[in-house]
Each structure stands twice: as C-alpha cells, then as structure tokens.
C-alpha cells in the first residue's frame, strides 16, 4: 500500500466469543473499502488463533483480536503506514470502519472509512462449466460499479448473444440505447487486480440477415481535398448478409457496386474488463482495459489478453461486426447482432500494460492512443515488454527482432483512440524459447 | 500557362531564308527556359508554312515567322498572357530569348529569359532494348540538374547494380558517399511532366554475403518508457546473408537469438523520378516523386507508379535491403548492394498525386508525410483518387469499398516522412470494371 | 426528434375530471424519459383546453386529452414519427409510459418507456442571489446522474471552496478521492440543451500556504533524448505559497533554484457542465463540455462559455492551481485548495461547439483533442465559427483575420486531451461590429 | 575522425626544397576534400620545421615532409585510422590527393580523393565594418555549394535588401524565381562547424507599399468541417502597406472588413546557415540550420542563434513579411520586399541543436518537425539543453522551471515543418546565474 504516514490507535478488546460465531476467521478475504465514494480493493489474509488475529492486509502486517463478533486490528507497513480496523462479523461478512493514514496526514485528522470484507470462495472442483446466458439488460459504460450478471470460474464457457452497436437484437428490436451496448459483465472467480484475463473466442455466429453501416469516412483519414470530395456522404447504408455463402452486398450499391460483395468475417468490436474502480468509461471508448478496440482480428479462434483492475475482472463484450476493413473507416462497420461463445482463463500475478491478441500464427500487441503517432509508441512498447517478459530478450535483441520482423497494422481510426497493432509471426519466434510461465501464450 | 498578365511586343520579321536552313521547323520541340537560374519546361508544337509559324506553346497560340535563321513569334493566352520569342536556329537547336509576362508585370519591366528548344525525337521502331549499365558515379540527391547516364525508351529494360546505403559495393569497397547513393538517372524518351512512370521490378538479386544494420529503434516508436529501456542501443549489427537458403543470421546474436534467422526478401528502398525542376532533394528523403520510400513490398514482381515532373522523368534507384520489417525500425534495414533489373513504361497524360505500387494480388496507395496522422490522410486520398479515376466510383461508393476492404500497413517510420500504405485486394475489385484507359493497372 | 418511423395507437379516453385536479396542465414541462437505462430530455409545451390537450412535444404536434388524472396523447412528427404517451398526474408530476417509434421499428415491436415530466419553474423575480455553499461531498466524475447540490438562477453568484487535485482541503485534510474532485454540481434554472453556460470568474483566492507538484515532464514533450535525461525525475515537490507577496518558492530547490520564485496566478483547472445524458466522464478528462481544461487563463476576471447538454447545465468546478506554466508540463501544476466566487448567465438558443474563454482584452477559442495536431484543427474551427456566427464574417474574411491576427497558445499537454487556444485581441476586432445577439461576448 | 580502419602507406620523401618555396607551411589550413562528389571539411594545423611536417589533421597526428613543392604526410588516429596525403603547394594553395581508410576497408581497395587546402586568414585588426550590399542574384536553395557573395568578419554589419517570397523587388519587378529567393550567402570568417552563428537583426524597414497574401487556411488547421467551409478560398489578396502609420489594409475587404486594419511588424521569414556539406535544401524548408522558420518574433531588435555546419557558416536570409499572425495560416503572410540590416557574431566551440531566438525580455527555443506533436518535443529538448548548458540546471530543476514558467507559441504550420517555440521570460531566469561563457545569451 502506498502510505508514508504514521498512525496509531489503541483498542479495547472484549472477551466473550458468541457461541454461534464458532467459525474461525482464518482464510482469505476481499476488502471493499468505500474511499470517498469509490471502492478500493485489498486482499486480507487472516490467521485466527483462538481469537488472536495475525496475517496480511495487502502488504501490511496484521495484529489484532476478535471479541465476540467484534473485530479489531492494526495493519502496519514495515516502514511507515498504518490501517486501524474496527469491524463486526455478521452473516459471514465483516463490515466496519478503517482508518487509513496517508502521507501528510496526522492521526488526529484521519477520518474512518466504511468497508466490507467477504470471504474468497473455495476453489471449485469438477470440470469447467458452460453458461447459457440470455441478456435482459445491456450497459453503455464499462464500470466496476455494475453488478455482475453471473459468476463463472476460469475454464468456463459463456454462450450468449450481443445486440448491435445501435442496440437492436437479432429480430431488429431495439433492446438498448445506442453506442455499443454490452452484454455482461461476468465476474470471474479468483481474478484479482494485477492478473490477466484470457478470453478465447470460441465462436462468433451471425444471427440475422442485415447489418447497418454508412458511407462516410472518418475525419482522421480526411485531408482537405478528400474532406471536400466526401462532403455529401455519411448516409446510412444497409448490407444484406448472406449467411450461407458468408458474403455481404450493399442494398444501395450505386452504378459501380452492383456486383460488389465482401466476404464476411464476424468479429467483436468490444471486449473489455472493468477499467478500474474509478469513474465509468463510455462503451464507445477504449483503453488499457480493452473496450471498443474495433480490431478485425478479434475473431473466432483468436485470444484476447487484458489486464485486470478489479476483483472478478468483470468481462463485457458487444459491438459485433459482420465484417470490417482496417480502421473502421465508415465509423460504423457492418454492425449486427451476434451469437457468441467465449471461454476464459486467468493468468495470476502478471498482466500486460495494454491489450494483446493471439492467433494461431501470430502474436499481436495493440497500442491505443489519441493519435496514430502515439499509438505506434504504445504498440511497440507493448510488444517490447512482451518480448522482454516472455522471451527474456535484451534491448538489443528486441530491436533486432522488431527491425526484421515487425508488421504494423492500423486497427482503428474512427474512435477517440486510434489503434495500431504490432504483429509478429510465431514462426519467426519459434527459436526464441519463451519462458515457460507466466507466458500469455501458454494459458 | 498560368499567367494573368498583359504584354505586348511588335516584331519585324526578316524575309530571307538561308539555303542551308532548308529543314522545316514543323514538329514537336521541348523548350528549356532558364527562369532566374532554374529550368522551366514547355512543349512547343510548330507548323512551318513557308516560313510562317503557327502552332502551340504549351496552351498558347503561336503566330510568327522565320527569317533566315532568325525566328520570331508571339504566343498568346486566349485570355490575358503573352510570350514573345526571339531566337535563332543553329545545328538543329533553337536558342534565344523569351519575354514572359506574368501577373502584375507591365511590359516595360519585363526582362528576357534565355532558352533552348530541342526537337523531340521520332518514335523509335523495333523491339524493346535491354541496357547493361555499369555505374561509375552515384548521386546523393534526386535532382533534375543531374545529366542522365543513359537515354532509354518505354518498354526497355535496365540491368545494373546498386551500392548499399553507406556507399559500398558488392566487394565491400566504398564507391560513394553514404546516405543512399543512387544509380542513374535514366532518361526515358517521350516522358513528359504530367505523365506516369511505370517501373516493373523484374529482378532483385543479392550480390554479396553481408548486410549492415543496427540495433536501435527509431524515435518515432519510442515513448518515454521504451526510450529509457533502449537507451544503450543503436550499435552496428552485421548480418550474414545465406544466399542459397535465402536467410539471414546476425553476427552478434546475444544469448537468445543464437538460433534466430529471418527469410530474405530483397527490396529497393529508393525508386524515384526527379522531383521537379526546383532544388534537389537529399536521397534520404521522399515525396510525391517517390524516393526513399523504404516499403518492403517494392520487390521483384511488383510495379511502382510515379508522377513525372520533368522531361525524361529521370529514374533513380538504390538503397537495396536484403530484408526489412515494417517501418525500418532500426533506421537501417539489412542494407546491402544488389543486382537489379527493371523495365519501364510511360502512361501519357495522367499521373497519380503520390506513389502507387501494384502486386499480382493487390493495389497499394502510399501516403508520405511528416507524421503517421498526416500520412494516413495522404494514403487514403491517393486511393480514393485511384478508385475515382480508374474505377469511376462515386464518393459514396469509395467509402463503401474502403470501409469494408481497406488494409493499412505502416511502410516507414525511420525517415523524415512517415509512410502508410492503403492496400486493396484485387479480388475485391474484380467486379468493379475499371475504365480501360488510362488505367495505371493496365500498363 | 430524429425518428423516421411509423407508429400507431388507439386510446380510450375517460371522461371525468376529478374535482381536485382543477389545475390546468397548460404550461411548459420538462420530460425525463428513461430510455434503456439512461435519460433523454424533451420539452413539452401543453395547452389544456377543458381537458383537450394540444401543444408540442419537442418538435412534434400533440393531440390528446385528460380524463381525471389520466393523461393520454399522441405526438406526431409531420413526416413520419410518433410518440404515444399514457400517464397520470400526481402531486404536480406527470408520470407514465411513452412509446417511441424509431426507424425500422414496427408498432408491434415497440416497447413502452417510463418517464416523468415536471413543470418548468416560473421566472424568478427580484435581484440576483448570492449562494454561500460549503461542500460536503466532492465528485470524481462529470455526470448528469449526480443530484445537484443547489439550484440557482442566471445572474446568481456562488461563493464556495474547492479541494486540491488530490482531495485535500485548506487544512491539508483529505476530503475526497484524488483525481480532481469537484465542487458542485449546481443546477441553473432555465438552462436547456443547446444553450450556453456563461461562467464569470469573480474571485479566486488562495486559502492555504502550500501547493503540491512534482518534477517530471509529461511524455508528450519528451523525445528520446529528453526522456533519457529526465529518467530519474517525477518526484513530488512542495511549493510554499507566500500569499502576501503572491509568489511561490520550492521547498526542494536544488543548488541553482535557491533564489527562484514564481509569481502566483490562481486559476481553475476544471470548469465543466455535465457532458450529456450518457456515461460519466472522469474528472481528469476534458471535452466539449469543458472539464479538466487546465488553461492558465481561466483566472479571476475572465469568463468561460460552455455548451449545455442537459437541463440545468450542472456546473462543476475544481482542480485549482496557484500557478501553472503553459501545458501543465509536470502533470501537476501548483495544486492547492481555493476560495472561489463565480456568477453565471445563460445564452439561450445558441451554444459553441467547444469551450471559449474571454478576457478583458482577448477572445479565446479552445481546441481539445488527442493530439496537438488535432487540437489546432478544433481550436481553429471553434474560432472560425465564432467569427462567422458573432461577426458574420465570410470564409474569405475569416482567413484574412486569422492569417494576420491569430495567436496560438498551447494550453495543456499533460492530460488525455491536448489543448490549444487560438486567441484574438479585441482591439483587432473592434471594427468588425459583431451582431448584437446572441453574442457570447455580450453577456 | 570516425575511422576504425587500418591502413598503410610508405612514402619516399625528397630532400630538396625549392628556393622560391621559401614560405613556411606552418599555420592553420582548411581542407576541402572531394569525397565522392561532395565536400568534407577538416582543419589542418601544420608545423614546418625545416621541411619536416608535424601537427594535426582534425584529431589525427601528422608526420611528413616537404620536398620542393611536393608535400607528403601521413595522419594517424591514435587507435586505428590513417590518412595518407600526397600534394603540392602552388600559389599558396595545397592541392593533391588523400587516401582515407575507413571501417572495413583494406589498404589495397582504398582510392585517393582529391582535395585542396587554403590557409586560414590572419585575424583582422581594426573596427567592425559595415557592408553595403546590392544583390544581383537570389538563391532558391540553402546550399554549401553556392559561392559566397561576400566575406565578412564577426562584428560586421550587412546592409542590403531582400525580394519578396515570389521574387519581386521593391519596384514590383520579378527578380528571382518564386519560393523564398534568398539574399546571400555571406561567408563569416573564423566560423567553423560546431560554432554558433549569432545574427542580430538591427533594422527591418519596409521599402514598398504593397504586400501579397491570400485568403486560404493551411491544411494543418483544417478539420473536416472547416475544410468544407473554406473550400472556395485560397485566392490572392493584396494588402496596402501604410508605411507612415505602419498599418495594413486589404484591397478586397468584403463587407465586414472595410474598417479592418492590422499593425505592421516587419519580420524575416528566412534566416539560415548552409545546412551542411550534403545536398541542398529548398528555401521553403527549414531545419536545425534555420531556414524558412516563419516566426513572427524574428524582428528588429531580436537575435537568432544557429548551429554552423560548414566553414564560413554561409548566412542566407529573405522572405520578409510586413506582418504575420501565428502560424502563417494563409500559407503566405503579408509578403513584401525589405531593407535589411544585420550584424553577426560567432560563438566558438559550442552550438545549439536547433534554432534559438532572444528578445530583450525572453529567450525562445524553437522546435521544427513534421508535426506539432513532434515539434513540441524538439522545442522542449532545445530549451532543456539551454537551461542545462547555460544555467547548469539539473533535470529536476529544469522540470520545475519549465512547469511553472514555460510559454508555448505555435510559430509555423504552413510549411513542411511545423514550428513551436518555448519561451521563458528573462525576469523568471534572473536568479539563475547563467555560466559566464559560452552563453548564447551573452553575445
């Protein structure tokens, strides 16, 4: 914990332990602290030795006691900080207040914050489960404050549907507000901040015969001349989806596109974890947490790696596209609803700084930023870290591999963040002998 | 001609025509005007009717006469401008002075400029020729002022060599100053400003066993963290080129790259025409004229289209790479000398705004600019013009094709211009029925 | 309203009007529609003629009736759309459901949405009021979903305080979560979407003797060499604020800054309206709605203009700085708490696309975007619209004024959005005779 | 010298010294080596002891002898390199050939390069001189290959004129090709690569009554909407210059600009040194060498600092503007001819990486790059180096000064390079006690 403070509190411990409170506190708990209106999550590992409490609160050493249902302990940072916890146990949940002294605060000014702690679940036994989930609500923001629609475990599979970016379902019925309404969020047990969520895209199946798009070009690709040329475009276009032959044709083709068709490659525009305990992020946006990445290789058979910021990760997805050229130039791809099947894994104790994608033949590091010129820096840093962490390459070796083997693709230009993906072919990396674990490619 | 001026000159025409001057002036001439120290090129088409001259000087109407070897005529813009020409014919070359009135100038202030006019050659008959050319000098600037090393005709093939970017040849001997010394320039007969030079890359063959590179990463891909991580890199690396198996291995592999090899894909970093009659451009630079494009699909079997700015086009090429990842991240690719075979065509009367490349399966429009965010605008404009000009697509149709089918690749980040290439697969375009001519793809 | 749909609903109207419901519905109402979990705001103007209802719902024509407390009407778009409203009146609030047919929906698929409508207040009479407000909570997101802390009227003044960016108040006590916790939001009566909020900054007074900052430089200004040079910086710096002489000195000056001091210019880093009815925006972010603009001319005596997106505007402010160089290069300026006095006005029926600022001598148009290269486009567009709207300049005239008189200043580089401000001196504009109203400069 | 090569050459030295060659070679010479078609400059310091030559060739140790007019010596790098020089002295000039072994070359492959060496002039005595210079030619490229029009000494003043960007002089007569034709170049004695040229702008006086501009806006400031709004602009505008009242009025004011005038602030768009011994740079371009900086604070009373790349520096200037808003948004400022008076100084042994400007009240570090986002990095690095070199600030101190005191101004958007200037007020720096020398601010 980042505190450089000093604190202190004496506490009078009562002596009686209620009969019905016979269950020991020993075990792993998850604290949810209400810090000025927003959550902070800490892990609490307690050892309850006949009412004497020891253990760790995040990285601080616990010392305290239980008195009846009354719990009292102090957690000290070896250097300087303190938490002073005063709580009760009821119905298996610890709730109470916590004084947290931070830099520059003196104990007399510190105010208590309320918190709850719930016991971490015991590891599930038995084979992975398959969840059939029918959404009833959709969310237009990625947020840790949204209650999960289901709890699943690493290894489990989710089978569900997504509505299109405008909120319409497979029957063309408006089910949600436009702007990439999301299915989820799903809570993945054991996922903690600092872990990696691994999302295997098992199946993306079109479930209707039309997609919505338009005929504009995003301002990011418009210089002066092209802006003027395109000045009267931006009108809605409907595409017919031939699900048998997996091709799309436009319903307003104009004279020259009468024979034009495009092969369909269903993809998910959005895959996300909750972006952190802070303010929500609109589902049109993207970031380290994933989100509206709009990358046309987030397809069946590929895997997405995202850094987890809150307990349970909170997986959201939506904004499926029947097909999309690089960059989502029209602002809308071929927007449609979708039948989706995903499975999840967790890599504990390690997470990428930014989203990564893996196909059977390539590893791909994404950079998302306010300009292409910044996105390429993030994508390159993301891949350099990957090569350093998983393949143990030195800076010189990283440069030699990237200089000879990098492939850069522009994933998105139509959102607030532009996206660039740095790809490396796995056959180029075959001789590099990645470290066995924790390798994102090995989950 | 772009003049909005008024002008005036009377001229006395002499009457005698020298006997030895029996050749008529009728025909097509190329004027090279010395305008304040730099050339301006115009076409002059004359009809000589018993000494009375009519015809066109660029877009202006000619009226004048020959008197002995003395030539005098005025060319009038239908609206406002004048050129007044006073010259002699000697040894088949017209030379003299020309008064050119431009906007805001009055006739009494206008000064004469000297010029020469040479007769355009007669079309060559017979089959295309193959030029075996051994360079003796190399040039470090793209410039219209460099005398061509050879004159060739459309359809002809050049077989020659290039030195590496540092100036060393196939024997490792320093033959030129570093900084992409170029082979050429070659003058292509019939090429005029406004035409397109079509360069078919027939063969790129490695002619030595080493390539020079380094282990740095270009500053364009370095954010703060990666800049610090890479702070001690940037050292020279030598690669061994195994020409039999067409793979390269680094001579300083470090612990993790001992087994690392990259397949070789010989390419030309530079293909250029003279950038115009103005100042020279360093050969490390690029622009509409091509130049140091450093695109790893300028390879054997592909074709480059460049807009011609000066008579003869003046083709330069050099800076061959044995292999290069996207972006030339190390600043140097695998720099080596090369055995090169090219053939050329001219598309008359039409030229792209920016370089285009064609492979057997794709058309590719390049954008070169000071940032990736500007380069993508240029690349997209380049392709939109291509689709409008060659396929007659409307703005709405352009957006629909690009939105579904665009592929963006980053070609170069290590030079002053960044490069982005917008690619379209030809099979996507198969139904679009391009106009028969002048189609760059049909040469 | 943007609907292109067809719809239909029959309705049986009851006949009796309860005695106690004697108050006519005639008047102006504000509808808050719950559309798939988020609000949509419409104005409803009703004329109640003995129980027969006519009027306008936004831009659609109302036709319906009251039966007892039961209200039923249909609103038709002249072209194609329908709203069908079924509601009751209770305690002065209309609540019920509304069927809203949008493009592509057929009536049988349309689902009702719940809504409430409250009567717009009568214009307040009497002089402007001064609100003394002591905050108890602070908000880390700009959101229309936060209940206003007070309702005020145009012309009123607010006197309150802000905590620093880290959440500490004038006593150094942590009062809020870090990340620009905001005072407010304040609801301004009569403010409607499409109006402009005018914020006059009457007084910014320091209320403590220290400010927090650091010694890093933001990554946006770090090229490779400077990133390496600065690699060990980024540590916290405390500044002493001498409120009498209005200068700051650093408490860790190093050898060369022992005599260094900076004059204080208190400013507000954040001034915002709610960004719209959609998802919340973190208070570290900025946009058309203002927010964390971090412009060092948002100072006492100047005025900020913001486009209103929700009824009441919802004014937030915070993140005061004792002083800041252009760009907030350290990521933190001299962050401190502040005593703040503002007054507000509303310009009805017109709003800028982006924030504008006015000083006694200059008008300033801000551009906020993901890069400086995009921010300058937005700033220039913002000023061009200002010159077109308020001064009626033609495009050619706009170019002549900007070409001779523009001053560009970089306002912010340390946030997700970069900011550029285009300034024009008022004395340059003195001859331009702005239109009398609605001129933002005339409030 | 950067050579890591091995080399060897024996040399037979003759013994007789011709009577007429009585002048000793002792002294300082400047070598101009023709290296594959371009110059390389080295300093040669010789001590001639009765025909035995010692001294330094750049950083290498000389050992050789004179035999009659025949000169022969070898210069050895302490580590690895060699130059082998074979020359004659005639008419005070040494000319001959030099073998220069570089990395990877063996002696049997090395070819000789021709060179000349001229004696450095003796320091001039007497007071500074004033040169009255009437240009007859103007140059459209910054190039080391252009013969200087005059040689002057540090401290001297040049009084001359410049033509406008289109090439017209004070009488409106076309004197040069358009595109910023330059006056100069002037050779400044004692200036060597690695030194700084200091240009004091003593006087800029308008010498005609009109300036040329246009009514377009540069594409760098045009987003989609503004591009469309401005689509019919870009036409020429003539401004009347009232030299008595120093204001300009447009001759095509439109309805709203009839009373509009702008105060005149004459400035030089271009001030440059030769960019290096390599290829020429067009005079529309800019770089570390200065050039077409188009900064509206390059005015009378201010000083420009430029890094010198070739002997004599070669000072060019031109492209005067009667007035310009920030960024030169129209592409053309108020372009006019000018009466110019400059004086020059040299700071030996130190040079900035990029142009710097100083006014009586501010120091200004310029960044020039292909985008604003890169230009701000260069400007900040330029100022950080200034603060480190001249004021000895540590990285932390640099950040504290910049964070509180930086002012960023956009100098240019209309050229290939965008320009940003970081300004610091001198009163902020007054306590910093710059090192006495070599301080650019102390010239």
């Amino acid at each position: 914990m980042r505190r450089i403070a000093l604190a202190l509190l004496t506490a009078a411990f009562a002596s009686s332990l209620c009969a019905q409170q016979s269950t020991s506190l020993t075990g792993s708990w998850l604290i949810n602290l209400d810090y000025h209106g927003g959550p902070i999550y800490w892990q609490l590992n307690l050892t309850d030795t006949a009412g004497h409490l020891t253990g760790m609160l995040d990285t601080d050493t616990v010392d305290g006691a239980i008195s009846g249902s009354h719990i009292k302990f102090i957690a000290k940072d070896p250097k300087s900080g303190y938490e002073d916890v005063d709580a009760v146990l009821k119905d298996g949940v610890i709730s109470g207040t916590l004084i947290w002294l931070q830099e520059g605060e003196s104990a007399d000014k510190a105010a208590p914050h309320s918190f709850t702690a719930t016991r971490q679940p015991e590891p599930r036994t038995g084979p992975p489960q398959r969840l059939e989930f029918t959404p009833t609500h959709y969310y237009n923001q990625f947020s840790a404050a949204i209650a999960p629609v289901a709890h699943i475990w690493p290894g489990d599979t989710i089978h569900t549907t997504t509505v299109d970016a405008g909120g319409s379902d497979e029957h063309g019925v408006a089910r949600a507000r436009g702007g990439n309404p999301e299915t989820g969020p799903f809570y993945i047990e054991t996922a903690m901040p600092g872990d990696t969520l691994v999302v295997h895209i098992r199946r993306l199946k079109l479930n209707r015969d039309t997609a919505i798009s338009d005929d504009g070009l995003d301002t990011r690709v418009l210089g002066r001349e092209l802006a003027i040329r395109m000045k009267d475009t931006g009108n809605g276009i409907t595409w017919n989806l031939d699900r048998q032959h997996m091709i799309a044709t436009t319903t307003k083709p104009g004279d020259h596109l009468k024979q034009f068709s495009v092969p369909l490659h269903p993809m998910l525009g959005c895959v996300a974890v909750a972006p952190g305990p802070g303010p929500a992020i609109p589902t049109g946006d993207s970031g380290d947490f994933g989100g509206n990445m709009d990358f046309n290789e987030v397809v069946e058979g590929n895997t997405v790696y995202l850094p987890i910021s809150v307990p349970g990760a909170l997986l959201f997805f939506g904004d499926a596209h029947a097909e999309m050229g690089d960059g989502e130039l029209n602002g809308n791809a071929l927007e449609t609803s979708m039948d989706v099947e995903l499975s999840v894994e967790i890599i504990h104790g390690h997470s990428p700084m930014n989203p990564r994608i893996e196909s059977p033949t390539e590893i791909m590091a994404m950079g998302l930023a306010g300009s292409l010129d910044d996105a390429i820096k993030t994508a390159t840093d993301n891949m350099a870290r990957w090569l350093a962490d998983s393949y143990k390459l030195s800076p010189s070796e990283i440069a030699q591999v990237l200089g000879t083997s990098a492939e850069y693709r522009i994933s998105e230009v139509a959102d607030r963040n532009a996206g660039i993906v740095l790809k490396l072919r796995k056959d180029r990396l075959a001789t590099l002998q990645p470290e066995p674990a924790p390798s994102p490619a090995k989950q």
Side-chain angles (χ1 to χ4, degrees), chain A residues 52-392:
Chain A
H52 181 219
L53 294 176
T54 55
M56 300 295 287
L57 172 56
D58 196 59
T59 57
D60 298 355
T61 306
V62 165
D63 183 26
I66 313 171
S67 169
S69 63
H70 185 205
I71 298 164
K72 186 101 185 77
F73 64 82
I74 293 177
K76 294 188 194 178
D77 183 292
K79 286 191 183 165
S80 58
Y82 281 78
E83 289 86 33
D84 190 300
V85 176
D86 202 343
V88 295
L89 177 67
K90 183 178 175 187
D91 296 339
V93 174
I94 300 173
S95 59
T97 57
L98 180 154
I99 292 174
W100 181 25
L101 288 189
Q102 299 185 77
E103 182 177 19
E105 287 183 302
S106 58
D108 59 327
K109 290 182 176 174
H113 305 283
S114 62
F115 77 95
T116 59
T118 51
R119 204 185 274 276
Q120 298 276 42
E122 292 298 306
R124 190 184 64 181
T125 56
Q129 303 293 309
R130 176 182 171 93
L131 173 68
E132 294 288 339
F133 178 73
T134 303
T136 54
H137 291 82
Y138 301 87
Y139 296 93
N140 290 61
Q141 47 193 40
F142 302 115
S143 169
I146 300 173
V149 294
H151 285 237
I152 61 173
W153 284 79
D156 287 357
T157 296
I158 302 164
H159 179 217
T160 186
T161 55
T162 56
V163 291
D164 71 22
S168 293
D169 67 9
E170 62 268 35
H171 307 296
V173 175
R175 299 284 305 282
R177 206 177 171 92
N180 300 344
E182 304 286 310
T183 296
F186 299 91
Y187 187 105
I188 296 96
E189 297 291 355
T190 78
M192 287 298 291
D195 295 345
T196 300
L197 177 64
V198 185
V199 181
H200 300 289
I201 302 175
R202 299 298 183 190
R203 195 175 186 216
L204 295 179
K205 187 181 167 195
L206 298 171
N207 61 10
R208 74 184 203 209
D209 294 330
T210 57
I212 301 298
S213 191
D214 66 77
D215 70 352
L217 289 180
D218 187 78
T219 189
R220 251 190 234 277
V221 299
L222 296 179
R224 177 169 50 191
E225 298 306 317
L226 193 53
I228 296 169
R229 180 191 293 261
M230 302 303 293
K231 71 186 167 59
D232 298 321
T233 61
N235 305 299
I237 300 281
T238 301
W239 291 78
N240 294 318
L241 306 181
D242 178 340
R243 288 188 271 169
Q244 184 179 0
H245 302 97
M246 287 299 280
I247 59 171
T249 51
T250 170
T251 60
K252 289 168 52 181
D255 288 345
H256 302 87
L257 299 189
K258 289 195 191 312
Q259 309 300 323
F260 183 71
S261 67
V262 294
L264 296 176
H265 295 103
M267 57 168 276
L268 284 175
C270 296
V271 179
V273 291
I281 305 285
T283 49
D285 205 352
S286 62
D288 297 345
F289 62 93
N292 189 24
M293 297 182 284
D294 284 322
F295 177 37
N296 55 18
E297 302 208 35
V298 176
V299 295
E300 188 174 301
N302 288 359
T303 298
V304 178
Y305 300 88
L306 298 171
I308 295 172
S309 295
V310 300
L314 296 186
L315 170 65
F316 299 80
F317 47 91
D319 186 31
H321 302 157
E323 198 272 348
M324 190 187 93
D326 286 358
E328 200 184 26
L329 293 182
N330 304 134
N332 293 297
L334 271 56
E335 309 285 345
T336 193
S337 58
M338 199 81 74
D339 187 274
V340 175
E341 191 173 314
L342 309 170
S343 66
V344 298
E345 302 283 344
I346 303 293
I347 301 172
H348 293 288
H350 186 269
S351 69
M353 296 285 286
N354 303 95
R356 295 175 179 170
I357 299 94
E358 186 177 359
S359 78
T361 58
E362 293 174 316
I363 65 171
M364 305 180 239
M366 182 174 283
L368 295 161
S371 68
L372 291 173
D373 287 285
D374 284 345
I376 198 173
K377 293 178 177 69
T378 306
T380 309
D381 185 63
N382 190 3
M383 184 59 87
R385 289 169 189 263
W386 202 341
L387 294 176
D389 292 348
S390 295
Y391 298 87
K392 306 304 171 195

